Structure formats: C-alpha cells, structure tokens
Amino acid sequence: MSDAAMVLGTADRLMADQCDDATVRSARRGAWPASLWNAIAQMGLPLALVPEGSGGFGLDPVDAFALARLAGRHALPLPLGETMAANQALALAGLPLAEGPAAFIPVESGLVLRDGRITGTADRVPWGATVGTLVVEYLLGGARHVARLDSGWRVAESGTNIAHMPRDRLSIDAAITATAPAQGHPLYLMGAGLRVLQIAGALDQVLDLSIAHVSDRKQFGRALATFQAIQHELARMAGEAAAAGAAAGLAAEALAEAAGDPMLSVAAARIRSAEAASVATGVAQQLHGAIGFTQEHRLHWYTSALWSWRDEYGGPHHWTQCLGAAALAVGRDGFWPFVVAA
C-alpha cells in the first residue's frame, strides 16, 4: 500500500468514526467541533497541500485534493479544504503557516490596499467567526499578492449557507505585516475546485444512502429496489455521480499542476458537477420520499450541502459565461485545440 493510500484510508476512517450524527447535528446548531478538528490537525491534514520543504509531508497534490472529496463524503463540518488551500498559498509565498483553522479571501472580494492597510468587507467567509488566520489575496501593481492576517477583522454579520455551515461577513481593517507575491493559482479557482471535489464526495454518499433506502423499504411485499422504475432512477443517479467524480479528477489534476492555467478545466468541472448535483439530489429526494427533506435524516445534510456548494465560488451561470467567453476568444480555427485542452 502506498503512503498516499495509507493517509487517505486513515483519514476516511477518522472522519467516519468521529463525524457522527451527534457531531454533525451539534455543528449545524452552531457549535465548533473542537475534538474533531484536533483529531484532523493531529494527522496533519491541514498541511496536505503544503510542499514537504515548507512543512508539509510530501503528499502528491492530487492525493491531497482527494481529502476534500472525503470531506464532502462525510459532510465534514469543518473548513478543512479552506485551511489546506490557505496554507498552500502561505507556503508558496514563503509566509508562516496558519496554526489553526484558516480561511482565504480571493481578490474578487474587492478588498482595498491603502497606506499599508487592507480594508473592506468580505462576504460569506467560511467559518469567519472561528478561524484564527485569514489569507487575503490582493492586487499590487497589477500582480497578485497574498497577506497573512492574524487580527484586524470583526464579524459584521453572522450567517450560514442552507446546510448550516458558517458563512460570515467580515469587516476588515488590518495593517499588513506579512505579505509576499502570490505564487500559486488564484484563490477563487482553488475555492471553485474544492467545491467540485466536495460535490463529488457528497454524491457518492447520496448514491449509497439511496441504494440502502430502496433496498430496505418495501412496497406491495417487494423491496423498492426490485421495481424497474426505481432501478432506472438509481442508474441515472449513478451516472451523475460518476460524471461528478470525473469532473473532480479533472479539476484536481489541473490545480495540482504548478504551471499552466487551470481555468478551463475548473470551469468545465464546475459546470458538470453542478448539473450532476441538481439532477442527483432531485432523484434522491424522490426515492426517499418525504423523509429525505427532514433535518433529522442524513440525506437532508447532503442535499442541502450540495445545493450550497453548487453556488459557492461562482455558480454554473458564472462558469458557463467564463467558458463561453474563452471559446469565443480562440476563434474558429482555435476551437478544436481549445476543446482538447479543456
């Protein structure tokens, strides 16, 4: 067994054991699952995307991104992916790593740099009230820079997405003391890629839940799974989950490459995974009946997370426009190479 397989297997078991119903329900009520975070931090997972020479443990980036897919599969109520990406941005810029949970704020948030201070409001920051470090991306002379902030912000408005995961509005007015030119991919692309991976993981779980449900439930003396119409819907959902998985692989491989622009791959993956989420959640809710809508049922956790992740860091409309603009820009003669590259 490879080192990567051991890490992923151990992380999978840890999440399965400790991300139980009580923990998820408590987190959805607003509690921070400190023991779960400590267990994940002790494994070093927040450093999974950090190069070995900068304090990481040498995990291949594609394997590191698989941790985000696991987080989606277990409905992990923690900013693991965000902290992994924040630490990678800090490491590549030569800045100190975060010592706890962290969030990143892409340049698209519009924060302003003036007189050595960065100011403005950042909306819907994951776990903004809890994280101890913010990685802020900003433009200086037309070039992207990143800054590490350990203070200088307050929660202007607490909020959540529809899956009850914190998404806070932060008011930021901070002196910049640790900053450097950004070396990695744009943080907005990283955020979009992480959501693709989480969607793929959650759809795997939604498919498993649906198969288990229709295998257990009976109608007219037969398990629901024996009806042809049910089997057809399961096959449709499995197809969407497989497509989302392929999209996740595409996004992970593109983001793992240090050189090149991953925008086309991430955009295509984002569009396809959003479509898969929309179709599969509808099918899963139909197969579960009304019970799937209740907050007590696990299906509700996953479908509400999928609907949230589908629209974060640019929804399908945004990424479709990006992909369409790129296709028009290459012209007739460049269209086939463009399709192959994407």
Side-chain angles (χ1 to χ4, degrees), residues 330-341:
V330 299
R332 182 184 61 186
D333 295 338
F335 185 68
W336 178 246
F338 166 83
V339 171
V340 173

Side-chain angles (χ1 to χ4, degrees), residues 251-302:
E253 290 179 4
L255 290 170
E257 291 289 336
D261 184 357
M263 193 281 285
L264 294 180
S265 295
V266 171
R270 198 78 176 88
I271 295 165
R272 188 62 186 92
S273 65
E275 181 182 356
S278 298
V279 174
T281 52
V283 173
Q285 291 289 2
Q286 284 184 316
L287 294 180
H288 278 76
I291 193 173
F293 283 97
T294 61
Q295 293 193 16
E296 292 75 15
H297 198 282
R298 274 184 168 257
L299 183 66
H300 177 85
W301 305 349
Y302 288 99

Side-chain angles (χ1 to χ4, degrees), residues 313-337:
Y313 297 105
H317 179 71
H318 168 79
W319 290 108
T320 301
Q321 284 189 319
C322 291
L323 200 59
L328 291 173
V330 299
R332 182 184 61 186
D333 295 338
F335 185 68
W336 178 246

Side-chain angles (χ1 to χ4, degrees), residues 3-42:
D3 292 345
M6 290 178 62
V7 170
L8 293 174
T10 304
D12 191 21
R13 289 191 294 274
L14 185 152
M15 294 182 195
D17 291 342
Q18 299 204 23
C19 195
D20 53 20
D21 288 9
T23 300
V24 174
R25 288 196 176 100
S26 175
R28 289 171 68 91
R29 290 193 295 270
W32 169 252
S35 61
L36 179 56
W37 172 262
N38 291 338
I40 284 176
Q42 286 173 4

Side-chain angles (χ1 to χ4, degrees), residues 20-334:
D20 53 20
D21 288 9
T23 300
V24 174
R25 288 196 176 100
S26 175
R28 289 171 68 91
R29 290 193 295 270
W32 169 252
S35 61
L36 179 56
W37 172 262
N38 291 338
I40 284 176
Q42 286 173 4
M43 271 196 69
L45 301 188
L47 305 179
L49 282 170
V50 174
E52 190 170 10
S54 300
F57 49 90
L59 197 62
D60 184 278
V62 173
D63 294 323
F65 280 117
L67 291 169
R69 184 167 178 170
L70 282 179
R73 179 173 178 80
H74 294 285
L76 187 73
L78 290 170
L80 174 60
E82 288 84 351
T83 305
M84 287 167 49
N87 276 326
Q88 184 193 46
L90 291 172
L92 294 177
L95 299 174
L97 304 179
E99 296 176 358
F104 59 81
I105 299 177
V107 70
E108 284 78 3
S109 296
L111 299 183
V112 176
L113 177 68
R114 183 179 297 121
D115 299 328
R117 301 185 70 83
I118 194 155
T119 62
T121 300
D123 291 322
R124 304 188 66 74
V125 178
W127 283 269
T130 304
V131 297
T133 300
L134 290 181
V135 176
V136 177
E137 185 181 54
Y138 65 96
L139 293 177
L140 180 62
R144 289 186 304 111
H145 285 61
V146 291
R148 170 183 163 153
L149 303 181
D150 295 313
S151 63
W153 72 84
R154 64 178 178 83
V155 178
E157 182 179 354
S158 298
T160 69
N161 59 21
I162 59 174
H164 298 276
M165 297 177 181
R167 298 290 186 266
D168 301 315
R169 173 180 290 180
L170 301 184
S171 177
I172 299 172
D173 183 3
I176 294 181
T177 57
T179 185
Q183 300 298 323
H185 297 306
L187 292 179
Y188 199 75
L189 277 178
M190 290 294 292
L194 288 171
R195 294 298 182 259
V196 170
L197 288 150
Q198 289 174 289
I199 285 172
L203 285 179
D204 290 339
Q205 187 69 281
V206 166
L207 178 61
D208 289 347
L209 288 172
S210 299
I211 291 174
H213 180 78
V214 299
S215 299
D216 290 341
R217 298 280 294 191
K218 294 183 178 179
Q219 190 75 20
F220 308 115
R222 297 166 53 192
L224 290 176
T226 63
F227 289 90
Q228 189 174 34
I230 299 295
Q231 293 168 357
H232 175 80
E233 290 301 288
L234 281 177
R236 190 157 73 106
M237 189 192 307
E240 295 299 328
L250 176 68
E253 290 179 4
L255 290 170
E257 291 289 336
D261 184 357
M263 193 281 285
L264 294 180
S265 295
V266 171
R270 198 78 176 88
I271 295 165
R272 188 62 186 92
S273 65
E275 181 182 356
S278 298
V279 174
T281 52
V283 173
Q285 291 289 2
Q286 284 184 316
L287 294 180
H288 278 76
I291 193 173
F293 283 97
T294 61
Q295 293 193 16
E296 292 75 15
H297 198 282
R298 274 184 168 257
L299 183 66
H300 177 85
W301 305 349
Y302 288 99
T303 52
S304 57
L306 284 164
W307 291 325
S308 299
W309 294 335
R310 181 185 58 186
D311 295 326
E312 292 179 345
Y313 297 105
H317 179 71
H318 168 79
W319 290 108
T320 301
Q321 284 189 319
C322 291
L323 200 59
L328 291 173
V330 299
R332 182 184 61 186
D333 295 338

